[in-house]
Structure formats: C-alpha cells, structure tokens
Amino acid sequence: MQDQENKEMNNEQDAQAPVADVNDAAATAGASAQAAAPTGEPGLEEQLSATEAKLAEMHDAFMRAKADAENIRRRAQEDVSKAHKFAIESFAEAMVPVRDSLEMALKVEAPTVESIKEGVEMTLKQLTSAFEKNRLVEVLPQAGDKLDPNKHQAVAVVPAEQEANTVVTVLQKGYMIADRLLRPAIVTAAAPK
C-alpha cells in the first residue's frame, strides 16, 4: 500500500513539474519583456498611440486631398460653363465691324455702282479677316481634284473628260472650323467612263 502511495506521490510531482516549468518560462518571458522595454523597444501602448497618431495624420491628408479634388472638379465645371457661354465672343467681336459697314452702306443717300462695289469689297475683306482670325477656312476644291467624302458632297455625277470620282464643278464652297467640317463643298463629280 505504501508502494502505491509512493507511486501516486511521484505521479503528482511529475504532473506538477511541467506546470512549474511553464510558470517559470512565463515568468522568465515576462521578465525579459520588461527588461527589453527599457532598452529602447516601445511597449504596446506606445505602439498603439504612434499608430493612432499616424492614422489621424493619414485621415487629415485624405480629407485635404478629397477637398482639393472637389475644388478642382467645381472649377473645371465653371470653366466649361464659361467656355460654352462665351465661345462665340471672339467671332462676335470680329463680326461687329462687318455689320457696321453694311449699316453704313445702307445710310448712303445717293450710292453709285462704283461706291457700292467698293463698299462690298471692303466689307468682304473684313469678313474674310474675321473668318481667318477665328480659323474658319474655305473648302474650295479645284476641277480635277479627287472627291473627298469628308469635305465634299457630290450632288450629281456628270460625264466628263477626266478621271472618275473627281470634282468637275463647285456649286457652293464649304467651310471648316479648325479641323471640323462646318459645311461640305457642294460639287458635281465625274462619272466613270
């Protein structure tokens, strides 16, 4: 019986030994962590406060960037609105003298053919200058030019002594604003032989 009691005592001591080892290991780790903290490694609370400060800084930067983007979007909308509203301003400024010339021509009491012709030529020069200033360019193909469907509109195909699909006559000039077609030149084209 005593042998049995000795065995049980040994078993209890063996069972308590690993627990004691674990407690010793935990105590050693805690001591080493406390020892490490004063050597320069930040503790968890210090790391948390540093992370929170960095988060606040990033949030502030994000909000500023968001506000900047909203201001840029608003300014762009205002610029587009002004561009639409005043897009014709330059052209209108160039056309006002043309209108003035035409009104003055109508006020002449006894016009002669020569004075009317001279006035019309001067007004045409003003109009041409206004067109050039605002990049309004004539589309005026010559007879024999290749028919360009992007700039010419053929209203008739006529027999001609030239290559097929070429301009025979120009019935009305076309116009382009910069690179965009405003009105195609109306032409007759040569029929295939």
Side-chain angles (χ1 to χ4, degrees):
M1 173 104 173
Q2 195 169 5
D3 286 336
Q4 192 176 8
E5 285 179 12
N6 285 340
K7 283 184 183 178
E8 287 177 9
M9 286 286 262
N10 286 339
N11 287 341
E12 285 180 19
Q13 287 176 354
D14 289 342
Q16 288 178 355
V19 171
D21 290 342
V22 170
N23 287 337
D24 288 342
T28 305
S32 66
Q34 288 176 350
T39 61
E41 290 185 23
L44 290 178
E45 288 184 12
E46 292 172 353
Q47 288 179 352
L48 178 62
S49 65
T51 303
E52 285 176 343
K54 190 175 254 187
L55 175 66
E57 182 182 324
M58 294 290 194
H59 180 70
D60 183 53
F62 168 74
M63 293 305 286
R64 288 177 188 273
K66 185 177 177 184
D68 285 346
E70 183 63 29
N71 287 339
I72 290 169
R73 186 191 61 76
R74 182 183 46 79
R75 280 190 213 113
Q77 282 181 336
E78 289 174 2
D79 290 347
V80 167
S81 174
K82 287 178 183 177
H84 285 299
K85 190 174 183 180
F86 299 111
I88 196 167
E89 182 177 12
S90 173
F91 188 67
E93 286 176 353
M95 293 303 295
V96 169
V98 175
R99 180 180 172 128
D100 291 343
S101 294
L102 291 172
E103 287 176 346
M104 288 178 70
L106 292 174
K107 288 182 181 178
V108 174
E109 295 282 331
T112 62
V113 175
E114 291 81 25
S115 67
I116 292 175
K117 184 177 180 186
E118 183 180 332
V120 169
E121 287 173 351
M122 290 178 63
T123 304
L124 182 60
K125 284 181 185 178
Q126 288 177 326
L127 186 61
T128 302
S129 173
F131 281 10
E132 289 172 359
K133 182 178 177 184
N134 290 282
R135 299 184 308 164
L136 186 61
V137 181
E138 290 181 353
V139 176
L140 185 58
Q142 300 299 314
D145 287 353
K146 189 79 172 157
L147 186 67
D148 182 354
N150 296 318
K151 295 179 181 179
H152 310 144
Q153 180 179 354
V155 292
V157 177
V158 295
E161 294 298 321
Q162 60 191 45
E163 188 179 330
N165 295 325
T166 56
V167 174
V168 176
T169 57
V170 178
L171 303 174
Q172 185 180 53
K173 333 182 224 190
Y175 289 94
M176 295 182 72
I177 298 177
D179 294 329
R180 181 182 288 176
L181 185 67
L182 179 65
R183 179 180 82 187
I186 298 177
V187 298
T188 58
K193 294 179 183 178

